[in-house]
Amino acid sequence: MKGFVIALVLAFGPMNAQPQQTNLIPAPVAYSVRPGNVSPSRTAVLDERIRISRRTLLRRLGGRQLTDWQLKSAYWLELGKKGVKIEAADEEGVFYARQTLKMLAALDSPLTCCTILDWPRFRYRGVMLDESRHFQGKDFVMKQLEMMALLKMNRFHFHLVDNPGWRVQIDAYPLLTALTAWRPEAFFWDWEKNEIGGPFVDEGTPGAYGGFYTKQDIADILAFAAERHIEVIPEIEMPGHNYETRAAYPELACSLPGGGKDPWELCPGKESTFEFLEKVLLEIFGMFPSQYIHIGGDEARKNNWKLCPDCQARMKAEGLKSVEELQSYMIRRMERFAHAHGKRIIGWDEILQGGLAPDATVMSWHGIEAGLKAVREGHDVIFTPTHYCYLDYHQDSAQFRPVGRYLPLEKVYSFDPMAASITEADAHHVLGVQGCLWTEHVQEAWHAEMMLYPRVFAIAETGWSQAERKDWPDFERRASVLSAVARRWGYTVFRL
Ligand code: ACM
Ligand code: ZN
């Protein structure tokens, strides 16, 4: 730490005990004011001098050891009256420097001349959007990617399939979108009653609600995201949350009358289930260049498996002692398939049940305990504990359709993914943090944005800013400034 402070003093001159005030979110590592200011209208015409050089940036860092992924995102920025200077080790750092300038130009009038040195704390700074319960479509997604980029967030977890709708074109299984992307009722709770989903209807049925992404739509979204250094991670749920898949292809259910009592699960006893999943994943791999595939893994009830002759035969043949081990067999097998195609899997924390697949990354949602266990076992973890990160929870009991727990901005902001019990040697397994927007209650685009903002601002700062730069009273002030700007840009932002 002492070396770091000395390095910053060398880079910026003596620093005040109090960091100087900026409106930026996420708060940069180091910010210092220079004499003079610039009118926002002039930022577009300022002379820009860019230097991409690892050596130059390392000099700016003055001995501070960053990991390779941090170096890639790091930047040094000087905003003077006549021009802007940017130094970075990689294009990505230049991109983040420009996002900083863009935000300064939106927040400050005039812009105070300044010097900034900055890099991220965590490599995974994510938002998840559930497009199955309610479908928003391409323009909405791009609009949110734009805001994510401004906030220096870099992972978009695309929850594309679930019980109430399949939302991505799969050529091998056309009924997934010709049938189960469409339903008679628009609002999710009008369709799902007593945890049993309603019917689906054919595409083109008058009044049908739904939609899906064509392969071209996905390509457009990916190009938009790539320009903003955002990796899009698709999620294909298994073995639970598959009511829609079973509605399209009932043979994927267990061999029980009506597919068994649990309406959500696929049958891991049948080879044909694996053939289906592999063909679907091959098309998904063809669409999404991400190194990760999220395979879901959450909330499978597994009751059918205890009765299904195919599942029982599988358990006997593989020496599996419980249905939890049967789930683990399925996830491990899918991991081997993913590896064979150069991909790694992410799963919700239930994939710990029955034994974790060797290389799986765990998305810890029930709390942080599952994530801590996975870290101890040497696995990578992304933290999205419901209490802090589930953005479907209400911000105010008087708000539109309040549900779940009370999750105000301050609570979201208070989360630290680096729990005290994580050792320094294990810290690299904590990839980062994600805000999740489930949409059971969220049909309208404006409502979705109201749930995202300003809480995504807090997730962004938790993901990017160094722990010692977090400061709730100052963040609350900055969130209010950015909220006003976001509203001006046409986003719906919850009023604090
Ligand atoms: C989840 O909330 N079922 C991951
Ligand atoms: Zn079965």
Side-chain angles (χ1 to χ4, degrees):
M1 190 62 202
K2 197 166 151 215
F4 174 49
V5 171
I6 291 168
L8 288 180
V9 169
L10 288 175
F12 290 94
M15 289 198 299
N16 302 334
Q18 282 298 105
Q20 286 168 311
Q21 202 175 58
T22 158
N23 285 331
L24 286 169
I25 295 178
V29 172
Y31 170 88
S32 62
V33 169
R34 291 162 51 82
N37 55 53
V38 181
S39 146
S41 62
R42 287 200 55 241
T43 52
V45 297
L46 284 178
D47 176 47
E48 194 181 59
R49 291 205 343 238
I50 294 175
R51 178 147 193 193
I52 300 181
S53 154
R54 196 180 160 103
R55 267 222 341 251
T56 306
L57 186 68
L58 285 174
R59 259 203 309 276
R60 290 282 174 204
L61 291 166
R64 167 74 174 182
Q65 299 293 316
L66 300 192
T67 60
D68 277 348
W69 63 264
Q70 279 176 316
L71 257 186
K72 242 181 121 199
S73 309
Y75 65 92
W76 176 87
L77 167 71
E78 187 181 272
L79 171 64
K81 278 185 281 194
K82 296 215 170 63
V84 174
K85 288 186 210 158
I86 294 172
E87 292 173 5
D90 188 274
E91 279 295 340
E92 194 174 303
V94 175
F95 174 77
Y96 287 129
R98 289 204 172 116
Q99 295 306 96
T100 292
L101 272 176
K102 191 170 158 188
M103 194 179 267
L104 284 174
L107 298 174
D108 299 341
S109 187
L111 283 72
T112 307
C113 290
C114 62
T115 310
I116 293 175
L117 180 65
D118 201 10
W119 62 83
R121 183 178 179 207
F122 293 105
R123 74 184 95 163
Y124 188 114
R125 308 177 295 278
V127 172
M128 187 215 78
L129 178 66
D130 165 14
E131 287 246 76
S132 174
R133 270 79 186 198
H134 291 103
F135 180 69
Q136 298 300 345
K138 190 164 86 172
D139 291 349
F140 177 88
V141 166
M142 288 179 174
K143 186 177 172 192
Q144 310 325 314
L145 291 174
E146 193 75 88
M147 180 58 82
M148 283 177 66
L150 191 70
L151 294 164
K152 305 187 176 79
M153 302 183 91
N154 64 350
R155 298 287 186 271
F156 180 63
H157 170 179
F158 216 171
H159 189 79
L160 283 166
V161 303
D162 210 313
N163 299 327
W166 184 282
R167 307 286 178 214
V168 58
Q169 178 186 348
I170 301 292
D171 296 329
Y173 296 98
L175 288 181
L176 293 171
T177 45
L179 177 66
T180 54
W182 307 95
R183 60 189 195 226
E185 295 86 2
F187 188 50
F188 170 79
W189 290 116
D190 293 336
W191 176 82
E192 174 159 309
K193 307 206 170 78
N194 306 320
E195 291 194 35
I196 306 286
F200 294 98
V201 293
D202 290 330
E203 184 174 14
T205 302
Y209 172 88
F212 64 91
Y213 292 105
T214 63
K215 291 190 172 175
Q216 185 59 53
D217 291 333
I218 296 291
D220 294 346
I221 289 171
L222 288 171
F224 191 89
E227 281 169 15
R228 288 156 184 78
H229 294 269
I230 295 173
E231 180 175 330
V232 180
I233 300 172
E235 179 180 356
I236 299 296
E237 278 269 17
M238 64 190 79
H241 287 269
N242 269 275
Y243 178 87
E244 89 291 21
T245 320
R246 288 178 36 168
Y249 298 98
E251 62 274 21
L252 296 169
C254 281
S255 305
L256 296 167
K261 258 177 77 179
D262 293 339
W264 292 10
E265 276 76 37
L266 300 178
C267 175
K270 294 176 179 160
E271 272 308 292
S272 52
T273 301
F274 289 94
E275 187 186 323
F276 169 84
L277 290 171
E278 290 177 2
K279 279 191 181 163
V280 167
L281 287 190
L282 273 183
E283 290 195 36
I284 293 290
F285 294 163
M287 281 181 251
F288 292 88
S290 170
Q291 66 164 319
Y292 289 110
I293 174 73
H294 197 308
I295 48 74
D298 58 319
E299 298 183 310
R301 297 176 206 189
K302 311 178 186 73
N303 293 309
N304 293 344
W305 303 352
K306 293 174 188 159
L307 305 171
C308 166
D310 297 318
C311 287
Q312 288 301 308
R314 171 83 70 196
M315 287 174 66
K316 195 156 170 231
E318 299 290 337
L320 308 171
K321 291 184 285 300
S322 63
V323 286
E324 285 72 28
E325 289 190 11
L326 179 56
Q327 171 167 295
S328 173
Y329 163 85
M330 182 180 203
I331 302 298
R332 285 169 193 260
R333 193 167 153 177
M334 296 316 297
E335 176 174 86
R336 286 198 297 277
F337 181 77
H339 281 177
H341 293 88
K343 304 283 184 177
R344 301 178 67 192
I345 66 164
I346 301 177
W348 298 108
D349 58 38
E350 288 93 330
I351 64 169
L352 281 149
Q353 297 168 7
L356 201 45
D359 175 51
T361 294
V362 172
M363 198 163 258
S364 189
W365 71 279
H366 281 93
I368 62 166
E369 287 310 318
L372 295 179
K373 181 171 187 295
V375 166
R376 283 195 300 273
E377 292 179 13
H379 287 259
D380 288 348
V381 171
I382 298 148
F383 283 105
T384 179
T386 56
H387 292 55
Y388 295 98
C389 296
Y390 265 34
L391 305 178
D392 52 329
Y393 290 175
H394 61 268
Q395 302 168 77
D396 177 345
S397 58
Q399 82 172 65
F400 186 60
R401 294 189 191 137
V403 293
R405 296 193 189 94
Y406 174 51
L407 183 54
L409 182 64
E410 184 171 5
K411 180 93 192 267
V412 177
Y413 191 73
S414 70
F415 180 58
D416 188 342
M418 201 57 81
S421 65
I422 294 170
T423 63
E424 210 172 309
D426 281 342
H428 67 103
H429 284 307
V430 179
L431 300 189
V433 61
Q434 175 169 287
C436 292
L437 181 56
W438 299 101
T439 60
E440 279 91 340
H441 303 263
V442 181
Q443 182 183 340
E444 300 81 2
W446 66 264
H447 189 190
E449 288 183 358
M450 187 185 82
M451 303 309 276
L452 289 169
Y453 310 113
R455 292 183 293 186
V456 163
F457 304 167
I459 303 272
E461 181 142 312
T462 297
W464 179 280
S465 302
Q466 308 303 308
E468 60 274 16
R469 292 293 278 133
K470 285 188 76 181
D471 172 348
W472 164 249
D474 188 56
F475 175 79
E476 191 182 26
R477 176 190 67 75
R478 287 179 285 129
S480 154
V481 176
L482 181 56
S483 294
V485 168
R487 283 189 200 105
R488 225 166 54 220
W489 286 341
Y491 290 87
T492 304
V493 180
F494 180 76
R495 283 190 190 277
L496 295 170

